[in-house]
Amino acid sequence: MFSEIVASIFSMLLIEPLQAEVAARVAAAKAPTEIARASQECLTTQAPRLLERATTEVGWAASHALGITVGWKDPIDLLDKGAPGCAQLMSALKETPGDGDA
């Protein structure tokens, strides 16, 4: 029960903003279709991993939720560069001018 609550809150505070941030950056960069596909693949693999970690490491989840909510941390940094699609996505997003060096 508690882990479901944590997962729900984490999803609302981190996963949804992460997905919105990725979509906005991909759109702003006018990224090719392959980057858009890579972003979907990356988020598909990473969201469950992040939710699982949030339910087992509540302190980690709370600190990242707070950091991202107030702008201290970039939600993109939560992604695992080694996951399918993530390396390509992160590389493209880091090259985008004005992506907010938060």
Side-chain angles (χ1 to χ4, degrees), residues 13-89:
L13 294 176
L14 286 177
I15 301 299
E16 291 171 16
L18 175 62
Q19 291 171 330
E21 181 76 16
V22 168
R25 288 190 190 182
V26 168
K30 296 182 179 148
T33 305
E34 64 199 37
I35 299 299
R37 277 193 216 118
S39 72
Q40 288 302 329
E41 183 178 12
C42 177
L43 291 172
T44 299
T45 61
Q46 293 300 290
R49 181 190 67 85
L50 292 171
L51 285 173
E52 181 179 333
R53 184 169 182 190
T55 59
T56 59
E57 298 177 42
V58 178
W60 175 87
S63 70
H64 280 77
L66 177 64
I68 289 171
T69 300
V70 298
W72 295 333
K73 296 183 180 198
D74 187 348
I76 301 298
D77 293 335
L78 291 174
L79 301 174
D80 178 6
K81 292 180 186 176
C86 292
Q88 184 180 12
L89 171 65

Side-chain angles (χ1 to χ4, degrees), residues 88-100:
Q88 184 180 12
L89 171 65
M90 292 174 79
S91 175
L93 294 179
K94 296 292 182 185
E95 293 173 5
T96 303
D99 65 355

